[in-house]
Amino acid sequence: IRDYKVTGVQTCALPILFDVEGPAVAGEPVPWSVSLRDGDGETLPVTATVISEEEASLTQDAETLTPTLAGLQHLTAVGDADGGAFRARATLEVEPADAVSIDLVLAANQAAAGEPLGFTVTAADAFGNAVTGATVTADSPDVAVVDPQVVSTVSGIYTLTAAVDAVSDDETFRVVPGEPVELSLTLSDTDVEVYDTTRASVTAWDTYGNEVDVDWDLSVEGEGSTTLSGYNVTFLSEGWFTVWARYEDLADSVGPILIDSTGPTITLESPERGLFTEDASTPVSGLLTDDWSGIGELTVDGVDVPVESDGSFSTSVDNTFGMNVLELVAVDGRSEEHTSELQSPCNLVCRLLLE
């Protein structure tokens, strides 16, 4: 490639040819020549000096120029030929040499998930010329690099690398979770009784599903009494309870939780305790009540007895001679039991024998 232009001859009457082979690379010599053509078209050598408008101290010898400043240089060859002075001009494109230094600078050392983080990359060759074409890559597919920014929606610590030619530079940055948008409360145990303790834990997430550490508040709503110690809830009485976790405008709850540690109350209407009878069977009736979980089932001496919706029941049991023990077992909706025993003497067999 030859890029030259003769702009004029001052006192030399013959044409001047200024020839510079380019483009050039900074620090590397490029051939150049200046020649004079006589009337017969013959090329005659001349002596000249090359001056650069951009690089004052242009290194040169009779055959080569060694530019070190990258960019378009405007050259002028000045000399004497054919008994007169001449001045010819040419241009030379100089490219940077290979980079010997590179610097990757991040706008900050951390960013929130989904928030772009800016960066700049500067590289230079041995002569201080800026070198372009650096590539920037991340050490994880969770990081997107769109020059001049990097972004990730996954929290963590990442490394960004800028490289060009044989040099590179690394920078580490952290992606932290964004503001929480969701809250989830869990309890270590929800099948609890009076005086049992359950531990609450909360997980919060940002828009991208990253867990966020938040300073949440714990509270309990219900009909009975509880105590809170840190994130522990102790139930001191029976009743329905709902446990709440709150952070700013976010909230989550577990419940309602039923604390019912006692079985149904058995009110026996008949027979009366200590009943003396000569009958072959004894009617049994009464009422079951339960404040919280309702009536589950009733057995009288091991036999299932139906219970009406109002809790009333009635049945009969066969009598045997001597002391009879009547056992009633009531179970509530949470399988809590209440057992009642009734003893009654019976002389039925004796009377039968006497008669």
Side-chain angles (χ1 to χ4, degrees):
I1 300 174
R2 296 170 181 258
D3 186 5
Y4 62 88
K5 181 179 180 182
V6 177
T7 59
V9 178
Q10 293 182 352
T11 59
C12 177
L14 298 178
I16 299 295
L17 177 62
F18 182 15
D19 186 10
V20 183
E21 295 187 11
V25 175
E28 296 183 8
V30 292
W32 74 282
S33 64
V34 176
S35 59
L36 174 71
R37 289 184 179 180
D38 61 16
D40 297 326
E42 295 294 332
T43 301
L44 304 176
V46 296
T47 301
T49 300
V50 178
I51 300 172
S52 170
E53 295 181 11
E54 289 75 24
E55 187 172 351
S57 301
L58 179 62
T59 301
Q60 60 186 283
D61 57 29
E63 297 179 349
T64 61
L65 304 174
T66 308
T68 60
L69 181 63
L72 182 64
Q73 294 205 23
H74 297 82
L75 307 177
T76 302
V78 179
D80 295 311
D82 193 29
F86 70 88
R87 182 181 296 266
R89 289 188 173 87
T91 58
L92 175 64
E93 186 67 39
V94 181
E95 298 176 353
D98 286 347
V100 296
S101 66
I102 187 170
D103 187 21
L104 171 63
V105 178
L106 301 180
N109 58 8
Q110 77 173 30
E115 177 182 301
L117 177 63
F119 65 84
T120 59
V121 178
T122 55
D125 63 13
F127 308 101
N129 297 301
V131 178
T132 60
T135 59
V136 179
T137 57
D139 64 344
S140 170
D142 293 328
V143 178
V145 180
V146 182
D147 193 359
Q149 293 179 328
V150 58
V151 65
S152 177
T153 59
V154 181
S155 60
I157 298 176
Y158 302 100
T159 299
L160 206 61
T161 301
V164 63
D165 298 329
V167 294
S168 63
D169 187 25
D170 297 333
E171 293 293 341
T172 300
F173 66 99
R174 180 188 299 272
V175 175
V176 298
E179 289 297 316
V181 296
E182 183 180 357
L183 198 70
S184 177
L185 168 67
T186 58
L187 300 178
S188 61
D189 190 7
T190 56
D191 185 14
V192 289
E193 305 290 347
V194 174
Y195 301 119
D196 282 350
T197 298
T198 186
R199 181 169 180 82
S201 60
V202 163
T203 304
W205 298 274
D206 66 8
T207 302
Y208 305 100
N210 299 297
E211 289 192 14
V212 186
D213 186 17
V214 296
D215 187 13
W216 51 279
D217 296 319
L218 181 66
S219 62
V220 181
E221 298 175 358
E223 302 169 349
S225 58
T226 60
T227 60
L228 298 178
S229 177
Y231 296 139
N232 296 313
V233 181
T234 301
F235 300 93
L236 302 180
S237 63
E238 294 183 326
W240 289 98
F241 301 88
T242 300
V243 181
W244 284 91
R246 291 181 173 87
Y247 173 75
E248 295 182 352
D249 58 345
L250 301 178
D252 191 28
S253 65
V254 175
I257 301 169
L258 176 60
I259 308 299
D260 185 5
S261 298
T262 57
T265 299
I266 303 175
T267 302
L268 192 61
E269 297 173 349
S270 67
E272 62 184 19
R273 189 175 297 274
L275 172 68
F276 185 88
T277 181
E278 296 178 352
D279 297 334
S281 62
T282 299
V284 179
S285 63
L287 184 68
L288 302 182
T289 58
D290 189 274
D291 292 336
W292 302 110
S293 55
I295 306 303
E297 61 183 37
L298 171 68
T299 60
V300 177
D301 284 350
V303 178
D304 290 336
V305 174
V307 180
E308 301 299 327
S309 59
D310 61 356
S312 62
F313 65 90
S314 63
T315 186
S316 64
V317 295
D318 294 333
N319 295 324
T320 60
F321 180 75
M323 184 70 68
N324 287 256
V325 178
L326 188 65
E327 183 181 61
L328 290 81
V329 178
V331 179
D332 66 13
R334 295 189 71 233
S335 299
E336 299 289 349
E337 290 186 358
H338 184 196
T339 301
S340 179
E341 292 185 351
L342 182 68
Q343 295 182 346
S344 297
C346 178
N347 65 352
L348 172 63
V349 176
C350 296
R351 289 185 60 81
L352 289 174
L353 290 175
L354 291 174
E355 293 175 356

